[in-house]
mmCIF file of all heavy atoms in Angstrom:
data_model
loop_
_atom_site.group_PDB
_atom_site.id
_atom_site.type_symbol
_atom_site.label_atom_id
_atom_site.label_comp_id
_atom_site.label_asym_id
_atom_site.label_seq_id
_atom_site.Cartn_x
_atom_site.Cartn_y
_atom_site.Cartn_z
ATOM 1 N N LYS A 41 -10.370 16.858 11.537
ATOM 2 C CA LYS A 41 -10.390 16.920 10.080
ATOM 3 C C LYS A 41 -11.085 15.690 9.491
ATOM 4 O O LYS A 41 -11.919 15.818 8.599
ATOM 5 C CB LYS A 41 -8.941 17.011 9.596
ATOM 6 C CG LYS A 41 -8.769 17.094 8.095
ATOM 7 C CD LYS A 41 -7.318 17.412 7.758
ATOM 8 C CE LYS A 41 -7.035 17.220 6.282
ATOM 9 N NZ LYS A 41 -5.591 17.306 5.999
ATOM 10 N N TYR A 42 -10.730 14.521 10.004
ATOM 11 C CA TYR A 42 -11.160 13.304 9.316
ATOM 12 C C TYR A 42 -12.428 12.656 9.861
ATOM 13 O O TYR A 42 -13.179 12.036 9.103
ATOM 14 C CB TYR A 42 -10.033 12.267 9.324
ATOM 15 C CG TYR A 42 -8.829 12.707 8.526
ATOM 16 C CD1 TYR A 42 -7.604 12.938 9.128
ATOM 17 C CD2 TYR A 42 -8.936 12.918 7.146
ATOM 18 C CE1 TYR A 42 -6.503 13.358 8.394
ATOM 19 C CE2 TYR A 42 -7.842 13.335 6.406
ATOM 20 C CZ TYR A 42 -6.628 13.555 7.034
ATOM 21 O OH TYR A 42 -5.561 13.980 6.309
ATOM 22 N N LEU A 43 -12.674 12.755 11.170
ATOM 23 C CA LEU A 43 -13.788 11.959 11.698
ATOM 24 C C LEU A 43 -15.147 12.283 11.072
ATOM 25 O O LEU A 43 -15.891 11.376 10.727
ATOM 26 C CB LEU A 43 -13.829 12.009 13.223
ATOM 27 C CG LEU A 43 -13.102 10.779 13.783
ATOM 28 C CD1 LEU A 43 -12.541 11.018 15.150
ATOM 29 C CD2 LEU A 43 -14.005 9.555 13.782
ATOM 30 N N PRO A 44 -15.458 13.566 10.898
ATOM 31 C CA PRO A 44 -16.752 13.838 10.251
ATOM 32 C C PRO A 44 -16.825 13.256 8.838
ATOM 33 O O PRO A 44 -17.893 12.886 8.373
ATOM 34 C CB PRO A 44 -16.804 15.374 10.209
ATOM 35 C CG PRO A 44 -15.874 15.813 11.292
ATOM 36 C CD PRO A 44 -14.778 14.785 11.328
ATOM 37 N N LEU A 45 -15.664 13.160 8.172
ATOM 38 C CA LEU A 45 -15.654 12.642 6.796
ATOM 39 C C LEU A 45 -15.888 11.138 6.736
ATOM 40 O O LEU A 45 -16.213 10.603 5.681
ATOM 41 C CB LEU A 45 -14.315 12.974 6.114
ATOM 42 C CG LEU A 45 -13.941 14.454 6.040
ATOM 43 C CD1 LEU A 45 -12.592 14.638 5.356
ATOM 44 C CD2 LEU A 45 -15.022 15.226 5.286
ATOM 45 N N VAL A 46 -15.666 10.468 7.851
ATOM 46 C CA VAL A 46 -15.901 9.021 7.850
ATOM 47 C C VAL A 46 -17.145 8.675 8.679
ATOM 48 O O VAL A 46 -17.282 7.572 9.208
ATOM 49 C CB VAL A 46 -14.668 8.224 8.353
ATOM 50 C CG1 VAL A 46 -13.496 8.423 7.408
ATOM 51 C CG2 VAL A 46 -14.271 8.621 9.774
ATOM 52 N N GLY A 47 -18.054 9.639 8.755
ATOM 53 C CA GLY A 47 -19.337 9.382 9.413
ATOM 54 C C GLY A 47 -19.238 9.279 10.921
ATOM 55 O O GLY A 47 -20.084 8.670 11.571
ATOM 56 N N GLY A 48 -18.201 9.890 11.476
ATOM 57 C CA GLY A 48 -18.020 9.798 12.924
ATOM 58 C C GLY A 48 -18.222 11.135 13.608
ATOM 59 O O GLY A 48 -18.671 12.107 12.996
ATOM 60 N N THR A 49 -17.894 11.163 14.884
ATOM 61 C CA THR A 49 -18.036 12.386 15.683
ATOM 62 C C THR A 49 -16.672 12.835 16.177
ATOM 63 O O THR A 49 -15.905 12.031 16.696
ATOM 64 C CB THR A 49 -18.921 12.107 16.912
ATOM 65 O OG1 THR A 49 -20.243 11.816 16.470
ATOM 66 C CG2 THR A 49 -18.960 13.320 17.848
ATOM 67 N N PHE A 50 -16.381 14.105 16.002
ATOM 68 C CA PHE A 50 -15.281 14.733 16.721
ATOM 69 C C PHE A 50 -15.885 15.816 17.585
ATOM 70 O O PHE A 50 -16.675 16.620 17.106
ATOM 71 C CB PHE A 50 -14.256 15.370 15.770
ATOM 72 C CG PHE A 50 -13.294 16.271 16.519
ATOM 73 C CD1 PHE A 50 -12.167 15.749 17.116
ATOM 74 C CD2 PHE A 50 -13.561 17.634 16.689
ATOM 75 C CE1 PHE A 50 -11.301 16.561 17.849
ATOM 76 C CE2 PHE A 50 -12.707 18.451 17.426
ATOM 77 C CZ PHE A 50 -11.574 17.905 18.002
ATOM 78 N N LEU A 51 -15.507 15.832 18.846
ATOM 79 C CA LEU A 51 -15.978 16.914 19.698
ATOM 80 C C LEU A 51 -14.863 17.363 20.629
ATOM 81 O O LEU A 51 -14.257 16.549 21.318
ATOM 82 C CB LEU A 51 -17.190 16.463 20.521
ATOM 83 C CG LEU A 51 -17.835 17.557 21.385
ATOM 84 C CD1 LEU A 51 -18.407 18.682 20.531
ATOM 85 C CD2 LEU A 51 -18.933 16.977 22.265
ATOM 86 N N GLN A 52 -14.607 18.661 20.602
ATOM 87 C CA GLN A 52 -13.674 19.223 21.583
ATOM 88 C C GLN A 52 -14.425 19.406 22.883
ATOM 89 O O GLN A 52 -15.336 20.230 22.977
ATOM 90 C CB GLN A 52 -13.099 20.548 21.097
ATOM 91 C CG GLN A 52 -12.145 21.142 22.120
ATOM 92 C CD GLN A 52 -11.372 22.328 21.582
ATOM 93 O OE1 GLN A 52 -11.038 22.382 20.407
ATOM 94 N NE2 GLN A 52 -11.093 23.284 22.444
ATOM 95 N N ALA A 53 -14.044 18.616 23.863
ATOM 96 C CA ALA A 53 -14.743 18.630 25.142
ATOM 97 C C ALA A 53 -14.313 19.843 25.961
ATOM 98 O O ALA A 53 -13.328 20.502 25.643
ATOM 99 C CB ALA A 53 -14.453 17.349 25.910
ATOM 100 N N GLU A 54 -15.034 20.106 27.031
ATOM 101 C CA GLU A 54 -14.744 21.258 27.880
ATOM 102 C C GLU A 54 -13.569 20.998 28.830
ATOM 103 O O GLU A 54 -13.050 21.925 29.436
ATOM 104 C CB GLU A 54 -15.995 21.685 28.661
ATOM 105 C CG GLU A 54 -16.694 20.584 29.449
ATOM 106 C CD GLU A 54 -17.731 19.825 28.630
ATOM 107 O OE1 GLU A 54 -17.615 19.794 27.388
ATOM 108 O OE2 GLU A 54 -18.655 19.235 29.226
ATOM 109 N N SER A 55 -13.172 19.760 28.958
ATOM 110 C CA SER A 55 -12.023 19.424 29.805
ATOM 111 C C SER A 55 -11.657 17.979 29.525
ATOM 112 O O SER A 55 -12.417 17.245 28.894
ATOM 113 C CB SER A 55 -12.365 19.571 31.291
ATOM 114 O OG SER A 55 -13.215 18.509 31.695
#
Side-chain angles (χ1 to χ4, degrees):
Chain A
K41 180 171 168 190
Y42 295 116
L43 264 154
L45 302 179
V46 296
T49 294
F50 167 85
L51 184 63
Q52 179 170 326
E54 52 272 25
S55 73

